[in-house]
Coordinates of all heavy atoms in Angstrom, one line a residue:
P1 N -20.6 13.7 89.8 CA -19.2 13.7 89.5 C -18.6 12.3 89.7 O -17.7 12.0 89.0 CB -18.6 14.6 90.6 CG -19.8 15.5 91.0 CD -21.0 14.7 90.8
Q2 N -19.1 11.5 90.6 CA -18.6 10.1 90.8 C -18.8 9.3 89.6 O -18.0 8.4 89.1 CB -19.1 9.5 92.0 CG -18.6 8.1 92.3 CD -17.1 8.1 92.7 OE1 -16.6 9.1 93.0 NE2 -16.5 6.9 92.6
A3 N -19.9 9.5 88.9 CA -20.3 8.7 87.7 C -19.4 9.0 86.6 O -19.0 8.1 85.8 CB -21.8 9.0 87.3
K4 N -18.9 10.3 86.5 CA -18.0 10.7 85.4 C -16.7 10.0 85.6 O -16.0 9.6 84.6 CB -17.8 12.2 85.4 CG -17.0 12.7 84.3 CD -16.9 14.2 84.2 CE -16.0 14.6 83.1 NZ -15.8 16.0 83.1
V5 N -16.2 9.8 86.9 CA -14.9 9.2 87.1 C -14.9 7.8 86.6 O -13.9 7.3 86.2 CB -14.7 9.3 88.6 CG1 -13.4 8.4 89.0 CG2 -14.5 10.7 89.1
V6 N -16.1 7.1 86.7 CA -16.2 5.7 86.2 C -16.6 5.6 84.8 O -16.0 4.8 84.0 CB -17.2 5.0 87.1 CG1 -17.4 3.6 86.6 CG2 -16.7 4.9 88.5
F7 N -17.4 6.5 84.3 CA -18.0 6.4 83.0 C -17.0 6.7 81.9 O -16.9 6.1 80.9 CB -19.2 7.3 82.8 CG -19.9 7.2 81.5 CD1 -20.6 6.1 81.1 CD2 -19.8 8.3 80.7 CE1 -21.2 6.0 79.8 CE2 -20.3 8.2 79.4 CZ -21.0 7.1 79.0
M8 N -16.2 7.8 82.1 CA -15.3 8.2 81.0 C -14.2 7.2 80.7 O -14.0 6.9 79.5 CB -14.6 9.6 81.4 CG -15.6 10.7 81.4 SD -16.4 11.0 79.8 CE -15.1 11.6 78.8
P9 N -13.5 6.6 81.7 CA -12.6 5.6 81.3 C -13.2 4.3 80.7 O -12.7 3.7 79.8 CB -11.9 5.2 82.7 CG -12.1 6.4 83.5 CD -13.4 7.0 83.1
L10 N -14.5 4.0 81.2 CA -15.2 2.9 80.6 C -15.5 3.1 79.1 O -15.3 2.3 78.3 CB -16.5 2.6 81.4 CG -17.3 1.5 80.9 CD1 -16.6 0.2 81.0 CD2 -18.7 1.5 81.7
L11 N -16.0 4.3 78.8 CA -16.4 4.7 77.5 C -15.1 4.7 76.6 O -15.1 4.2 75.5 CB -17.1 6.0 77.4 CG -17.4 6.6 76.1 CD1 -18.4 5.6 75.4 CD2 -18.0 7.9 76.2
G12 N -14.0 5.3 77.1 CA -12.7 5.3 76.4 C -12.2 3.9 76.1 O -11.7 3.6 75.0
G13 N -12.3 3.0 77.1 CA -11.8 1.7 76.9 C -12.6 0.9 75.8 O -12.1 0.2 75.0
V14 N -14.0 1.1 75.8 CA -14.8 0.5 74.9 C -14.5 1.0 73.4 O -14.3 0.2 72.5 CB -16.3 0.7 75.2 CG1 -17.2 0.3 74.1 CG2 -16.6 -0.1 76.4
L15 N -14.3 2.3 73.3 CA -14.0 2.9 72.0 C -12.7 2.4 71.5 O -12.5 2.1 70.3 CB -14.1 4.4 72.1 CG -15.5 5.0 72.2 CD1 -15.4 6.5 72.4 CD2 -16.4 4.7 71.1
L16 N -11.7 2.4 72.4 CA -10.4 1.9 71.9 C -10.3 0.4 71.6 O -9.7 0.0 70.6 CB -9.4 2.1 73.1 CG -8.9 3.6 73.3 CD1 -8.0 3.7 74.5 CD2 -8.3 4.2 72.1
S17 N -11.1 -0.4 72.3 CA -11.2 -1.8 72.0 C -11.8 -2.0 70.7 O -11.4 -2.8 69.9 CB -12.0 -2.5 73.1 OG -11.4 -2.4 74.3
L18 N -12.9 -1.3 70.4 CA -13.6 -1.5 69.1 C -12.6 -1.0 67.9 O -12.6 -1.6 66.9 CB -14.9 -0.7 69.1 CG -16.0 -1.3 70.0 CD1 -17.2 -0.4 70.0 CD2 -16.4 -2.7 69.6
S19 N -11.9 0.1 68.2 CA -11.0 0.6 67.1 C -9.9 -0.4 66.9 O -9.4 -0.6 65.8 CB -10.4 1.9 67.6 OG -11.4 2.9 67.8
A20 N -9.4 -1.0 68.0 CA -8.3 -1.9 67.9 C -8.6 -3.2 67.2 O -7.8 -3.9 66.7 CB -7.7 -2.3 69.3
L21 N -9.9 -3.5 67.1 CA -10.3 -4.7 66.4 C -10.0 -4.6 64.9 O -9.6 -5.5 64.2 CB -11.8 -5.0 66.6 CG -12.2 -5.5 68.0 CD1 -13.7 -5.6 68.0 CD2 -11.6 -6.9 68.2
A22 N -10.2 -3.4 64.4 CA -10.0 -3.1 63.0 C -8.5 -2.7 62.7 O -8.0 -3.0 61.7 CB -10.9 -2.0 62.5
F23 N -7.9 -2.0 63.7 CA -6.5 -1.5 63.5 C -5.7 -1.9 64.7 O -5.5 -1.1 65.6 CB -6.5 0.0 63.4 CG -7.2 0.5 62.1 CD1 -8.5 0.8 62.1 CD2 -6.4 0.6 60.9 CE1 -9.1 1.3 60.9 CE2 -7.0 1.0 59.8 CZ -8.3 1.4 59.8
P24 N -5.2 -3.2 64.8 CA -4.5 -3.6 66.0 C -3.1 -2.9 66.2 O -2.6 -2.9 67.3 CB -4.2 -5.1 65.7 CG -4.5 -5.3 64.3 CD -5.3 -4.2 63.8
L25 N -2.6 -2.2 65.2 CA -1.4 -1.5 65.3 C -1.5 -0.2 66.2 O -0.5 0.4 66.6 CB -0.8 -1.1 64.0 CG -0.2 -2.2 63.1 CD1 0.2 -1.7 61.8 CD2 1.0 -2.8 63.8
I26 N -2.7 0.2 66.5 CA -2.9 1.4 67.3 C -2.7 1.2 68.8 O -2.6 2.1 69.5 CB -4.2 2.1 67.0 CG1 -5.4 1.2 67.5 CG2 -4.4 2.4 65.6 CD1 -6.7 1.9 67.5
L27 N -2.7 -0.1 69.2 CA -2.5 -0.4 70.6 C -1.1 -0.1 71.0 O -0.1 -0.3 70.3 CB -2.9 -1.9 70.9 CG -4.4 -2.2 70.7 CD1 -4.5 -3.7 70.9 CD2 -5.2 -1.4 71.7
G28 N -0.9 0.3 72.3 CA 0.4 0.5 72.8 C 1.0 1.9 72.5 O 0.3 2.8 72.0
S29 N 2.2 2.1 72.9 CA 2.8 3.4 72.8 C 3.2 3.7 71.4 O 3.3 4.9 71.0 CB 4.0 3.5 73.7 OG 5.1 2.7 73.2
G30 N 3.5 2.7 70.6 CA 3.9 2.9 69.2 C 5.3 2.6 69.0 O 5.8 2.4 67.8
S31 N 6.1 2.4 70.0 CA 7.6 2.2 69.8 C 7.8 0.8 69.2 O 8.6 0.6 68.3 CB 8.4 2.4 71.1 OG 7.9 1.6 72.1
S32 N 7.1 -0.2 69.8 CA 7.3 -1.6 69.2 C 6.5 -1.7 67.9 O 6.9 -2.5 67.0 CB 6.9 -2.6 70.2 OG 5.5 -2.5 70.5
Q33 N 5.4 -1.0 67.7 CA 4.7 -1.1 66.5 C 5.4 -0.5 65.3 O 5.1 -0.9 64.1 CB 3.3 -0.4 66.6 CG 2.4 -1.2 67.5 CD 2.6 -0.8 69.0 OE1 3.5 -0.1 69.4 NE2 1.7 -1.4 69.9
M34 N 6.3 0.4 65.5 CA 7.1 1.0 64.4 C 7.9 -0.1 63.8 O 8.2 0.0 62.5 CB 8.0 2.2 64.9 CG 7.2 3.4 65.1 SD 8.1 4.9 65.5 CE 8.6 4.6 67.1
T35 N 8.4 -1.0 64.5 CA 9.2 -2.1 63.9 C 8.3 -2.9 63.0 O 8.7 -3.3 61.9 CB 9.7 -3.1 65.0 OG1 10.5 -2.3 65.9 CG2 10.6 -4.2 64.4
D36 N 7.0 -3.2 63.4 CA 6.1 -3.9 62.6 C 5.8 -3.1 61.3 O 5.8 -3.8 60.2 CB 4.8 -4.1 63.3 CG 4.9 -5.0 64.6 OD1 5.9 -5.8 64.6 OD2 4.1 -4.9 65.5
I37 N 5.6 -1.8 61.3 CA 5.2 -1.1 60.1 C 6.5 -1.0 59.2 O 6.3 -1.1 58.0 CB 4.7 0.3 60.3 CG1 5.6 1.2 61.0 CG2 3.3 0.2 61.1 CD1 5.1 2.6 61.1
Y38 N 7.6 -1.0 59.8 CA 8.9 -1.0 59.0 C 9.0 -2.3 58.2 O 9.3 -2.3 57.1 CB 10.1 -0.7 59.9 CG 11.4 -0.7 59.2 CD1 11.8 0.4 58.4 CD2 12.3 -1.7 59.3 CE1 13.0 0.4 57.7 CE2 13.5 -1.7 58.6 CZ 13.8 -0.6 57.8 OH 15.0 -0.6 57.2
E39 N 8.8 -3.4 58.9 CA 8.9 -4.7 58.3 C 7.8 -4.9 57.3 O 8.1 -5.5 56.2 CB 8.9 -5.8 59.3 CG 10.1 -5.8 60.2 CD 10.1 -6.8 61.3 OE1 9.0 -7.5 61.5 OE2 11.0 -6.9 62.1
L40 N 6.6 -4.5 57.5 CA 5.5 -4.6 56.5 C 5.8 -3.8 55.3 O 5.3 -4.1 54.2 CB 4.2 -4.1 57.2 CG 3.5 -5.2 58.1 CD1 2.3 -4.5 58.8 CD2 3.1 -6.4 57.4
S41 N 6.5 -2.7 55.4 CA 6.6 -1.8 54.3 C 7.6 -2.4 53.2 O 7.6 -2.0 52.1 CB 7.1 -0.4 54.7 OG 8.5 -0.5 55.2
F42 N 8.4 -3.4 53.6 CA 9.4 -4.0 52.6 C 8.9 -5.3 52.1 O 9.6 -5.9 51.3 CB 10.7 -4.2 53.3 CG 11.5 -2.9 53.5 CD1 11.6 -2.3 54.7 CD2 12.0 -2.2 52.4 CE1 12.2 -1.1 54.9 CE2 12.7 -1.1 52.6 CZ 12.8 -0.4 53.8
R43 N 7.7 -5.7 52.5 CA 7.2 -7.0 51.9 C 6.7 -6.8 50.5 O 6.3 -5.6 50.1 CB 6.0 -7.5 52.8 CG 6.5 -8.0 54.1 CD 5.4 -8.5 55.0 NE 4.3 -9.1 54.3 CZ 3.2 -9.5 55.0 NH1 3.1 -9.3 56.2 NH2 2.3 -10.1 54.3
K44 N 6.7 -7.8 49.7 CA 6.3 -7.7 48.3 C 4.8 -7.4 48.2 O 4.4 -6.7 47.3 CB 6.6 -9.0 47.6 CG 8.1 -9.1 47.3 CD 8.4 -10.4 46.5 CE 9.9 -10.5 46.3 NZ 10.2 -11.7 45.6
D45 N 4.1 -7.9 49.1 CA 2.6 -7.6 49.1 C 2.3 -6.5 50.0 O 1.4 -6.5 50.9 CB 1.8 -8.9 49.5 CG 2.3 -9.4 50.9 OD1 3.3 -9.1 51.3 OD2 1.5 -10.2 51.4
K46 N 3.1 -5.4 49.9 CA 3.0 -4.2 50.8 C 1.5 -3.7 50.8 O 0.9 -3.7 49.7 CB 3.9 -3.2 50.2 CG 3.9 -1.9 51.0 CD 5.0 -1.0 50.4 CE 4.8 0.4 50.8 NZ 5.7 1.3 50.3
L47 N 1.1 -3.3 51.9 CA -0.3 -2.8 52.1 C -0.3 -1.4 51.3 O 0.7 -0.7 51.3 CB -0.6 -2.6 53.5 CG -0.7 -3.9 54.3 CD1 -0.8 -3.7 55.8 CD2 -1.8 -4.8 53.8
N48 N -1.5 -1.0 50.9 CA -1.6 0.2 50.2 C -1.4 1.4 51.1 O -1.6 1.4 52.3 CB -2.9 0.3 49.4 CG -4.1 0.2 50.3 OD1 -4.1 0.4 51.5 ND2 -5.2 0.0 49.7
P49 N -1.1 2.6 50.5 CA -0.9 3.8 51.3 C -2.2 4.2 52.1 O -2.1 4.8 53.1 CB -0.6 4.9 50.2 CG -0.1 4.1 49.1 CD -0.8 2.8 49.1
G50 N -3.4 3.9 51.6 CA -4.6 4.2 52.3 C -4.6 3.6 53.7 O -5.1 4.1 54.6
F51 N -4.0 2.3 53.7 CA -4.0 1.7 55.0 C -3.1 2.4 56.0 O -3.5 2.6 57.2 CB -3.5 0.2 54.9 CG -3.3 -0.5 56.2 CD1 -4.3 -1.0 56.8 CD2 -2.0 -0.6 56.7 CE1 -4.1 -1.7 58.0 CE2 -1.8 -1.2 57.9 CZ -2.9 -1.8 58.6
W52 N -2.0 2.9 55.6 CA -1.1 3.7 56.5 C -1.7 5.0 56.9 O -1.6 5.4 58.0 CB 0.3 3.9 55.8 CG 0.9 2.6 55.5 CD1 1.2 2.1 54.3 CD2 1.3 1.6 56.4 NE1 1.8 0.8 54.4 CE2 1.9 0.5 55.7 CE3 1.3 1.5 57.8 CZ2 2.3 -0.7 56.3 CZ3 1.8 0.3 58.5 CH2 2.3 -0.7 57.7
F53 N -2.4 5.7 56.0 CA -3.1 6.9 56.4 C -4.2 6.6 57.4 O -4.4 7.4 58.3 CB -3.6 7.7 55.2 CG -2.6 8.3 54.4 CD1 -2.4 8.0 53.1 CD2 -1.7 9.3 54.9 CE1 -1.4 8.6 52.2 CE2 -0.8 9.9 54.2 CZ -0.6 9.6 52.8
A54 N -4.9 5.6 57.1 CA -6.0 5.2 58.1 C -5.5 4.8 59.4 O -6.0 5.1 60.5 CB -6.8 4.1 57.5
T55 N -4.3 4.1 59.4 CA -3.7 3.7 60.7 C -3.2 5.0 61.4 O -3.4 5.1 62.7 CB -2.5 2.8 60.4 OG1 -3.0 1.6 59.8 CG2 -1.8 2.4 61.7
A56 N -2.6 5.9 60.7 CA -2.2 7.1 61.4 C -3.3 8.0 62.0 O -3.3 8.5 63.1 CB -1.4 8.0 60.4
F57 N -4.4 8.0 61.2 CA -5.6 8.7 61.7 C -6.2 8.0 62.9 O -6.6 8.7 63.8 CB -6.7 8.8 60.6 CG -8.0 9.4 61.0 CD1 -8.1 10.7 61.1 CD2 -9.0 8.6 61.3 CE1 -9.2 11.3 61.6 CE2 -10.2 9.1 61.7 CZ -10.3 10.5 61.8
M58 N -6.3 6.7 62.8 CA -6.9 5.9 64.0 C -6.0 6.1 65.2 O -6.5 6.1 66.3 CB -7.1 4.5 63.6 CG -8.2 4.3 62.6 SD -9.8 4.9 63.1 CE -10.2 3.9 64.4
K59 N -4.7 6.1 65.0 CA -3.8 6.3 66.2 C -3.9 7.7 66.8 O -4.0 7.8 68.0 CB -2.3 6.1 65.7 CG -1.3 6.1 66.9 CD -1.5 5.0 67.9 CE -0.4 5.0 68.9 NZ -0.4 3.9 69.8
S60 N -4.1 8.7 65.9 CA -4.4 10.0 66.4 C -5.8 10.0 67.2 O -5.8 10.7 68.3 CB -4.5 11.0 65.3 OG -3.4 11.0 64.5
L61 N -6.7 9.4 66.7 CA -8.0 9.3 67.3 C -7.9 8.6 68.7 O -8.4 9.0 69.7 CB -9.0 8.6 66.4 CG -10.5 8.6 66.9 CD1 -11.0 10.1 66.9 CD2 -11.3 7.8 65.9
A62 N -7.2 7.5 68.7 CA -6.9 6.7 69.9 C -6.2 7.5 71.0 O -6.5 7.4 72.1 CB -6.2 5.4 69.6
L63 N -5.2 8.3 70.5 CA -4.5 9.2 71.4 C -5.4 10.2 72.1 O -5.4 10.4 73.3 CB -3.4 9.8 70.7 CG -2.5 10.8 71.5 CD1 -1.8 10.1 72.6 CD2 -1.5 11.4 70.6
G64 N -6.3 10.8 71.3 CA -7.3 11.7 71.8 C -8.3 11.1 72.8 O -8.6 11.7 73.8
I65 N -8.7 9.9 72.4 CA -9.7 9.2 73.3 C -9.0 8.8 74.6 O -9.6 9.1 75.7 CB -10.2 7.9 72.6 CG1 -11.2 8.4 71.4 CG2 -11.0 7.1 73.5 CD1 -11.6 7.2 70.5
S66 N -7.8 8.3 74.5 CA -7.1 7.9 75.8 C -6.8 9.1 76.6 O -7.0 9.0 77.9 CB -5.9 7.1 75.5 OG -4.9 7.9 74.8
K67 N -6.4 10.2 76.1 CA -6.1 11.4 76.9 C -7.4 12.0 77.5 O -7.4 12.4 78.6 CB -5.4 12.5 76.1 CG -3.9 12.1 75.9 CD -3.3 11.9 77.2 CE -1.8 11.8 77.2 NZ -1.3 11.5 78.5
G68 N -8.5 12.0 76.7 CA -9.7 12.5 77.1 C -10.4 11.7 78.1 O -11.2 12.2 78.9
S69 N -10.1 10.4 78.1 CA -10.7 9.5 79.1 C -9.9 9.4 80.4 O -10.4 8.7 81.3 CB -10.8 8.1 78.5 OG -11.6 8.1 77.4
G70 N -8.8 10.1 80.5 CA -8.0 10.0 81.7 C -7.0 8.9 81.8 O -6.5 8.7 82.9
F71 N -6.7 8.2 80.7 CA -5.7 7.2 80.7 C -4.3 7.8 80.9 O -4.1 8.9 80.5 CB -5.7 6.4 79.5 CG -7.0 5.5 79.2 CD1 -7.2 5.0 78.0 CD2 -7.8 5.3 80.3 CE1 -8.4 4.2 77.8 CE2 -9.0 4.6 80.1 CZ -9.3 4.0 78.9
V72 N -3.4 7.1 81.5 CA -2.1 7.6 81.7 C -1.2 7.2 80.5 O -1.5 6.3 79.8 CB -1.5 7.0 83.0 CG1 -2.2 7.4 84.2 CG2 -1.4 5.5 82.9
G73 N -0.2 8.0 80.3 CA 0.7 7.7 79.2 C 1.2 9.0 78.5 O 0.5 10.1 78.7
G74 N 2.2 8.9 77.8 CA 2.7 10.1 77.2 C 2.2 10.3 75.7 O 1.4 9.4 75.2
V75 N 2.7 11.3 75.1 CA 2.3 11.6 73.7 C 3.4 11.5 72.7 O 3.2 11.5 71.5 CB 1.6 13.0 73.6 CG1 0.4 13.0 74.4 CG2 2.5 14.1 74.0
I76 N 4.6 11.4 73.2 CA 5.8 11.5 72.3 C 5.8 10.3 71.4 O 5.9 10.4 70.2 CB 7.1 11.5 73.1 CG1 7.1 12.8 73.9 CG2 8.3 11.6 72.1 CD1 7.0 14.1 73.2
F77 N 5.9 9.0 71.9 CA 6.0 7.8 71.1 C 4.7 7.7 70.2 O 4.9 7.3 69.0 CB 6.2 6.6 71.9 CG 7.6 6.4 72.3 CD1 8.0 6.3 73.6 CD2 8.6 6.3 71.3 CE1 9.3 6.1 74.0 CE2 9.9 6.1 71.7 CZ 10.3 6.0 73.0
P78 N 3.5 7.9 70.6 CA 2.4 7.9 69.7 C 2.5 8.9 68.5 O 2.2 8.5 67.4 CB 1.2 8.2 70.6 CG 1.5 7.7 71.9 CD 3.0 8.0 72.0
M79 N 3.0 10.0 68.8 CA 3.2 11.0 67.7 C 4.3 10.6 66.8 O 4.2 10.8 65.5 CB 3.5 12.4 68.3 CG 2.4 13.0 69.1 SD 0.8 13.1 68.2 CE 1.2 14.5 67.2
V80 N 5.3 9.9 67.2 CA 6.4 9.4 66.3 C 5.8 8.3 65.5 O 6.1 8.2 64.3 CB 7.6 9.0 67.2 CG1 8.6 8.2 66.3 CG2 8.3 10.1 67.9
F81 N 5.0 7.4 66.1 CA 4.3 6.4 65.3 C 3.4 6.9 64.2 O 3.4 6.4 63.1 CB 3.5 5.5 66.3 CG 2.7 4.4 65.5 CD1 3.3 3.2 65.2 CD2 1.4 4.6 65.3 CE1 2.6 2.3 64.5 CE2 0.6 3.7 64.6 CZ 1.2 2.5 64.2
I82 N 2.7 8.0 64.5 CA 1.9 8.6 63.5 C 2.7 9.2 62.4 O 2.4 9.0 61.2 CB 1.0 9.7 64.2 CG1 0.0 9.1 65.2 CG2 0.3 10.6 63.1 CD1 -0.7 10.1 66.1
G83 N 3.8 9.8 62.7 CA 4.7 10.3 61.7 C 5.3 9.2 60.9 O 5.4 9.3 59.6
A84 N 5.7 8.1 61.5 CA 6.2 6.9 60.8 C 5.2 6.3 59.9 O 5.5 5.9 58.8 CB 6.7 5.9 61.7
S85 N 3.9 6.3 60.3 CA 2.9 5.8 59.4 C 2.6 6.6 58.2 O 2.4 6.2 57.1 CB 1.6 5.7 60.2 OG 1.6 4.7 61.2
F86 N 2.7 8.0 58.4 CA 2.6 8.9 57.2 C 3.8 8.8 56.3 O 3.7 8.9 55.1 CB 2.4 10.3 57.7 CG 1.0 10.7 58.0 CD1 0.7 11.2 59.3 CD2 0.0 10.4 57.1 CE1 -0.6 11.5 59.6 CE2 -1.3 10.8 57.4 CZ -1.6 11.3 58.6
G87 N 5.0 8.5 56.9 CA 6.2 8.4 56.1 C 6.4 7.1 55.3 O 7.2 7.1 54.3
I88 N 5.6 6.1 55.6 CA 5.8 4.8 54.9 C 5.1 5.0 53.6 O 5.0 5.2 52.6 CB 5.1 3.7 55.6 CG1 5.9 3.4 56.9 CG2 5.0 2.4 54.8 CD1 7.2 2.8 56.7

């Protein structure tokens, strides 16, 4: 039981870190990142819709990993971020 207390957050942190290398917008609660995706959506060289779907999927995965690993935090702002990513 003691090994699980240490191993699960360690594994979750490693998985989240590797995911964040490819998708840095998945870090944090999502409230400040919504400003970033709003500003990116109005640029002339707007990223394709596949990027936004992948970001929403990765944020969902990151939320599940963090909750499953025992990290603290809520689910409201990450869910709003996921909705905003799908809405762009």
Side-chain angles (χ1 to χ4, degrees):
Q2 182 65 18
K4 184 179 179 182
V5 172
V6 174
F7 181 72
M8 289 304 287
L10 177 67
L11 179 63
V14 168
L15 290 174
L16 287 175
S17 299
L18 292 175
S19 300
L21 289 174
F23 294 92
L25 287 174
I26 68 169
L27 293 175
S29 67
S31 58
S32 61
Q33 290 85 354
M34 281 188 286
T35 304
D36 295 337
I37 64 170
Y38 180 74
E39 290 173 358
L40 281 173
S41 68
F42 287 105
R43 288 179 36 186
K44 289 183 181 180
D45 56 342
K46 180 178 163 180
L47 299 171
N48 63 13
F51 175 79
W52 298 116
F53 286 120
T55 300
F57 176 76
M58 291 303 292
K59 184 66 171 184
S60 301
L61 190 64
L63 179 61
I65 290 171
S66 64
K67 285 304 192 183
S69 299
F71 294 165
V72 296
V75 296
I76 300 297
F77 279 120
M79 295 303 287
V80 171
F81 175 83
I82 292 166
S85 294
F86 276 125
I88 295 291

